[in-house]
Amino acid sequence: MKRETYGCPCCSGLLDRVFQENKEVRDLKSKAESGGGWSCNWGIDWGIVGRRDFLKGGAATAGLAAMLPEPARAQDQSTTIFTNGTVLTVDDDFAEVDAIAIRGNRILAVGTEGEVRAVAGDGARVVDLEGKTMLPGFIDAHTHVVTGSVVDAIMDYVGMIRFRTSDEVLDHIRARVAETPAGEWLVFRNFDPAVQDGLDALTFADLDPISTDHPIFVLNASGHLAYANSAAFAAAGIPADIENPPGAEFVRDADGTLNGTMKNNISYLRVLGAYPALAEAQPLEALIALLEKWSALGLTTISELSLGALTQSPADAEVLAAASQSGRLAARIRAYPLFSIGAENWDDGGVSQGDGDAMARIAGYKLIADGSNQGFTGLQRDPYLNSEDRGLAYLEPDELTRLAMERAEKGWHLALHGNGDAAIDNILNTCEALRDAGIDMSRVRARIEHCSILHDDQIARMKELGVSASFLIGHVHYWGVALRDEVFGEEKVQLLDRCRSVEEAGVGFTLHSDFMVIDPDPLHMIEMAVTRTTWKEPDYVLAPQETIPVESAIRALTSEAAWQLFSDHEVGSLEAGKYADMVILDKDPRDVVPNEIRTIKVLETWMDGRQTFVA
C-alpha cells in the first residue's frame, strides 16, 4: 500500500472545489449568499414543512399538499395483497408472516392470509409472490448523494468493485476510447492503487499510448490524487513550467518533466475544470437518476451525511426541496447539514431539525472528529504501524464538545464521524459532557460514523451513553488486508468494525457504504458482515469473532438504519401504518450459503406504494 496522507474524501472537503465551475452550483450559492434564500426559490418553506406531523408519524399537512405539483400529490388508493411467499417484517420480533396488504402508499395489514384479506376487503388486487421473499426496503444510513450523484453522472467508475488490477482499468479506458469521438473527454473515478494490484500511479507513460486525441482524467478513490494524459493537460492549458500551487503538486519525473500525476484538488481541479460536463451537470437531475439506478439494489431510503458540500453553503437544501417537489424520487432522503458550513449559516437560512417531508428531510447534524485510517489521518491512541504518527484531530476535543452542545441544546440529532480509537474517545467524552449537562441523549440519538477501531471499554461507554454505531463494512472486505499489513498490524486490525461485540453489548448498529467510498449494494454489505472475508485474500477472515447472523445484518440495513435516521416511525419494517417501502428477492438471505448472499437477485422494489424497479 503506497502511503499517502489524506482525509475522508466525502467528509473532509477534499472534493468541495470539484463543483466550483458548475453553473447551477454557482447559481445556487449566489442566491444563498445574496440573502435570497433557497427554499423560497422552489416554493417550499422548510420552516413549516415537516415539523408538525411527520416526526409523530402523521400524514402530510394540507399546506404541503398544496405546494406539491400534482404528480407528487396524487396517490393511488387501490389495495394490493401480496401472498404465497416469505414476508420478513423485521419488526421487534423479526416476525415472518404469510401476507401483507398495502393501500395507497401505506401498509394496511400484515399477518396470515385470512387476516390480511379480511382487512383488505373485496376487490383487492392479489399478487402471488410464488415463494419469493419480501423484506422492508433497504436503507443506507451513510452516503453522500447530493455531491456524489453529480460525480457519478460525469465520471465512469473504475474502482475495485469492478476491476481488480490497474491493467484491467487501462483496458477499460482503451475500450472507452475506441467508442468515443476524438476530442471528447473521458473521465473516471475511484481508481485505488492501494488495493488494485499493479501500478502505484497512472502517468503520461500509461495514458498517452491509449490516446492523445481524447483528454483522459482519472480520480483516485481518496479524492486526494488524480491522473491525466497530456491531452487533458493541453486542454486545460497547463504549461510545462507550471509552478506547484501552495499545498499541492504537479508531480514530475526525475528529469523534471511533468508526468501526469497530481496531488491535492488545488492542482487537479486546474485540469478537471476544463471538462465541459462538469460545468453543465444538473444536480437535481443527477440526484434523481442516481436514486433510480439504486432502486435496482432494493434501496428505498438513503442519506446525505455532508449536506452543504456541493455548494459550500446551505443552498444544498434547495436541491432537497426540489427533489421532494419533483415527484420523481425513487428513494427517500435523510440529510445532515455539515458543521463546516457554520451552524449560524444553517440557522440564518431557517434550516432546522425535522424540516422537510416524508420524501426529503433534515434528519440531524454532522460533526467530524478525525480523518481516514487508510489515509493515516484517523486519530489513534497509538502510532500507526512502523510510524510515530497518530493521525489528526479535525476538531479538537473542546471544540467538538462546544459544537455538539450548541446543536444538542437546540434539539439536533448528532452524527459524529470517528475512525480512529482516539477520535472515538473524544466523541464519547463529548457525549458524556452532553449527558452531564442534562441533555436527553435519547433525543440526541448520537451515532458514531464509521466507528472503525473500537475497544471493549469504548463499547461499554457507548452502551452507558446510548450511543450507536454505523460501520463502513467495506473497510473489512476491500481494505482489510491493507489495513492489516500497512496501517495497523495483525493485532489492532481485529478491532475493526466490531459488529458482534456491539450487538452482544446491546449497542445498536448499522452498515453503510459511505458512497462514493464504495457503491451501495445492501445484499453484498450483508454478506460482508456475515462472512468478513477479504477481497485481496478470499480465504482470510478478518476478526472472525465479529461475524454476525444474517438477521442482524438485515436489521442493520432496515429497522436499525431507520432508527438512526429518525424515521423508525415510518419506514424500516413491514408494519401496518408505515410507508409501503418493500423489496422482493428471489431467495431468502437466511437460506443461502453466506458467501453467495450477494448473488441474490432483487426482483422488485416498491417505494411509497409504487413499483420503482422490476427485474
Side-chain angles (χ1 to χ4, degrees):
M1 180 178 181
K2 185 174 175 61
R3 178 160 186 164
E4 294 282 355
T5 300
Y6 56 84
C8 171
C10 296
C11 300
S12 66
L14 286 168
L15 295 176
D16 61 359
R17 298 189 182 187
V18 168
F19 312 105
Q20 64 185 353
E21 298 302 321
N22 179 268
K23 295 176 182 177
E24 190 166 330
V25 168
R26 286 206 310 265
D27 184 52
L28 286 168
K29 188 173 183 179
S30 176
K31 288 178 182 177
E33 291 174 345
S34 70
W38 34 89
S39 55
C40 59
N41 296 322
W42 297 103
I44 253 187
D45 182 352
W46 286 90
I48 63 171
V49 173
R51 281 203 294 269
R52 300 175 183 174
D53 296 329
F54 279 110
L55 291 178
K56 301 176 183 178
T61 64
L64 172 63
M67 295 174 194
L68 294 179
E70 189 61 32
R73 294 203 307 266
Q75 282 290 344
D76 180 0
Q77 291 302 311
S78 62
T79 301
T80 302
I81 298 171
F82 298 85
T83 188
N84 192 31
T86 300
V87 179
L88 301 180
T89 64
V90 199
D91 61 5
D92 290 343
D93 299 322
F94 210 94
E96 180 178 334
V97 299
D98 299 327
I100 180 172
I102 66 173
R103 177 172 293 163
N105 66 341
R106 298 274 182 170
I107 297 172
L108 181 64
V110 295
T112 67
E113 184 172 348
E115 291 169 340
V116 169
R117 285 183 180 272
V119 175
D122 297 334
R125 182 172 74 101
V126 178
V127 173
D128 186 349
L129 290 173
E130 299 179 339
K132 306 302 188 293
T133 298
M134 176 183 284
L135 293 168
F138 292 123
I139 302 171
D140 193 326
H142 186 130
T143 73
H144 301 271
V145 290
V146 176
T147 51
S149 61
V150 180
V151 173
D152 186 71
I154 62 175
M155 296 188 187
D156 185 359
Y157 176 87
V158 293
M160 67 278 183
I161 295 175
R162 193 174 181 189
F163 303 116
R164 296 188 67 88
T165 69
S166 58
D167 283 345
E168 291 176 5
V169 171
L170 293 173
D171 285 344
H172 176 71
I173 296 174
R174 287 188 189 93
R176 288 292 313 279
V177 165
E179 65 187 22
T180 303
E184 291 190 13
W185 281 70
L186 292 168
V187 179
F188 306 89
R189 67 175 174 92
N190 281 76
F191 174 64
D192 192 349
V195 291
Q196 290 170 293
D197 290 335
L199 301 170
D200 286 336
L202 302 179
T203 66
F204 290 163
D206 306 302
L207 297 173
D208 282 357
I210 296 176
S211 179
T212 55
D213 296 324
H214 303 76
I216 299 173
F217 179 94
V218 184
L219 184 63
N220 185 285
S222 69
H224 175 72
L225 302 163
Y227 323 94
N229 68 349
S230 57
F233 272 50
I238 304 297
D241 61 350
I242 188 170
E243 295 184 4
N244 287 329
E249 180 183 0
F250 288 94
V251 179
R252 296 175 182 273
D253 289 331
D255 63 2
T257 59
L258 295 171
N259 71 9
T261 297
M262 296 155 283
K263 295 184 177 182
N264 198 308
N265 60 15
I266 298 172
S267 61
Y268 72 65
L269 285 174
R270 295 195 181 184
V271 177
L272 185 60
Y275 177 34
L278 181 61
E280 300 298 332
Q282 298 181 3
L284 175 60
E285 292 301 318
L287 178 59
I288 290 170
L290 181 66
L291 300 193
E292 182 179 357
K293 181 170 70 173
W294 284 0
S295 188
L297 300 170
L299 285 161
T300 56
T301 298
I302 54 83
S303 51
E304 170 51 67
L305 264 289
S306 292
L307 192 70
L310 180 70
T311 64
Q312 287 298 295
S313 80
D316 279 24
E318 186 164 354
V319 178
L320 289 189
S324 173
Q325 280 188 294
S326 72
R328 298 164 56 201
L329 284 180
R332 307 177 193 278
I333 305 172
R334 300 294 178 260
Y336 289 68
L338 183 61
F339 82 97
S340 60
I341 305 302
E344 67 283 357
N345 291 321
W346 292 108
D347 290 346
D348 290 347
V351 177
S352 300
Q353 171 91 24
D355 284 355
D357 59 14
M359 290 306 306
R361 185 181 304 139
I362 305 297
Y365 197 75
K366 172 75 172 295
L367 294 166
I368 302 174
D370 69 342
S372 160
N373 291 330
Q374 61 265 42
F376 302 97
T377 52
L379 187 65
Q380 310 297 334
R381 290 180 176 180
D382 301 307
Y384 283 102
L385 187 66
N386 302 321
S387 170
E388 296 302 315
D389 185 17
R390 296 173 187 260
L392 297 173
Y394 280 24
L395 286 169
E396 293 298 330
D398 289 348
E399 182 67 0
L400 178 66
T401 299
R402 184 189 71 80
L403 293 173
M405 190 78 69
E406 190 273 337
R407 290 290 91 180
E409 287 177 343
K410 294 183 178 180
W412 284 85
H413 162 44
L414 297 178
L416 303 105
H417 167 121
N419 266 312
D421 47 11
I424 292 171
D425 284 335
N426 291 343
I427 289 171
L428 292 173
N429 290 341
T430 286
C431 291
E432 186 172 314
L434 297 181
R435 182 198 63 185
D436 292 348
I439 291 173
D440 181 359
M441 294 302 290
S442 68
R443 179 66 187 87
V444 174
R445 287 195 193 181
R447 46 184 273 206
I448 302 177
E449 303 306 309
H450 315 320
C451 202
S452 301
I453 297 297
L454 197 58
H455 298 268
D456 289 347
D457 63 296
Q458 294 173 320
I459 294 173
R461 292 186 72 192
M462 291 172 71
K463 175 63 176 175
E464 176 192 357
L465 294 166
V467 176
S468 65
S470 189
F471 296 118
L472 202 182
I473 196 65
H475 278 153
V476 171
H477 182 68
Y478 290 110
W479 286 275
V481 170
L483 290 170
R484 179 196 67 192
D485 296 344
E486 306 291 341
V487 180
F488 293 126
E490 180 67 46
E491 181 178 356
K492 188 170 182 177
V493 82
Q494 303 300 311
L495 302 176
L496 181 67
D497 290 0
R498 299 183 66 190
C499 298
R500 182 180 286 273
S501 291
V502 298
E503 182 176 52
E504 291 178 346
V507 173
F509 71 94
T510 60
L511 306 172
H512 68 256
S513 67
D514 198 15
F515 173 79
M516 299 176 296
V517 175
I518 64 171
D519 283 9
D521 183 341
L523 288 165
H524 193 193
M525 285 190 274
I526 290 170
E527 180 182 316
M528 292 178 198
V530 171
T531 67
R532 294 183 69 93
T533 56
T534 56
W535 184 72
K536 294 275 280 189
E537 297 179 11
D539 293 333
Y540 174 66
V541 178
L542 197 163
Q545 70 277 9
E546 297 297 343
T547 58
I548 56 174
V550 173
E551 293 86 351
S552 300
I554 290 173
R555 281 195 184 280
L557 283 153
T558 54
S559 58
E560 286 289 341
W563 185 87
Q564 284 192 343
L565 297 175
F566 267 76
S567 293
D568 49 311
H569 61 283
E570 58 193 353
V571 296
S573 60
L574 301 180
E575 299 181 82
K578 291 191 176 183
Y579 288 114
D581 295 2
M582 308 96 68
V583 59
I584 300 173
L585 308 176
D586 73 331
K587 296 176 184 176
D588 186 335
R590 302 171 301 173
D591 295 339
V592 303
V593 176
N595 62 7
E596 294 180 0
I597 293 173
R598 78 178 89 175
T599 68
I600 294 173
K601 291 183 173 62
V602 174
L603 300 178
E604 298 180 37
T605 303
W606 291 66
M607 195 280 301
D608 210 40
R610 60 187 175 89
Q611 189 183 68
T612 55
F613 170 77
V614 59

